[in-house]
Amino acid sequence: MTYAIIATGGKQYKVVENQEIFVEKLDAEVGSSITFDRVIAISSDGNLNVGEAVANATVSATVEDQVRGKKIIVYKYKRKTGYHKKNGHRQAYTKVKINKINE
């Protein structure tokens, strides 16, 4: 099984072909094709290639959807002062489908 480790949005993802993942929001239209060029490692046939071996490697993907995550509650509280503040936050994500790992 061939997989790649890519970096996008300050995070790293282990991806295989035909996999759908949620990454931090990308500025791309739904249905458009994008290329991840920050490939950290590629494993094929049990061999792990890193560094100069993957300098020109890319991962091509298609944008499936722009979605927002579950709401989380941010609650700030300081005792004895009557201070409390409640906020909600929904993180924006982009759903992408990995098409091909180009070595």
Side-chain angles (χ1 to χ4, degrees):
M1 179 174 85
T2 301
Y3 69 86
I5 299 175
I6 61 171
T8 179
K11 297 175 179 61
Q12 297 176 0
Y13 300 92
K14 178 182 174 184
V15 297
V16 295
E17 290 183 2
N18 298 321
Q19 178 184 11
E20 292 180 342
I21 59 171
F22 291 93
V23 297
E24 295 293 322
K25 183 167 173 38
L26 300 172
D27 189 25
E29 297 287 325
V30 174
S32 65
S33 179
I34 57 173
T35 302
F36 298 107
D37 55 354
R38 293 189 55 208
V39 178
I40 297 171
I42 293 180
S43 174
S44 59
D45 301 328
N47 299 327
L48 184 67
N49 298 323
V50 295
E52 289 294 319
V54 295
N56 296 324
T58 60
V59 174
S60 59
T62 305
V63 176
E64 297 279 314
D65 201 5
Q66 300 282 1
V67 295
R68 294 175 74 192
K70 223 174 121 179
K71 179 180 266 193
I72 61 166
I73 303 299
V74 179
Y75 193 78
K76 297 180 180 180
Y77 174 79
K78 293 194 178 179
R79 63 188 190 137
K80 298 181 183 176
T81 61
Y83 172 80
H84 57 90
K85 184 178 248 183
K86 183 178 179 181
N87 264 336
H89 176 74
R90 290 183 69 187
Q91 185 66 35
Y93 294 106
T94 301
K95 181 179 179 183
V96 297
K97 181 176 183 182
I98 305 299
N99 296 331
K100 184 149 177 57
I101 298 173
N102 307 310
E103 296 184 37

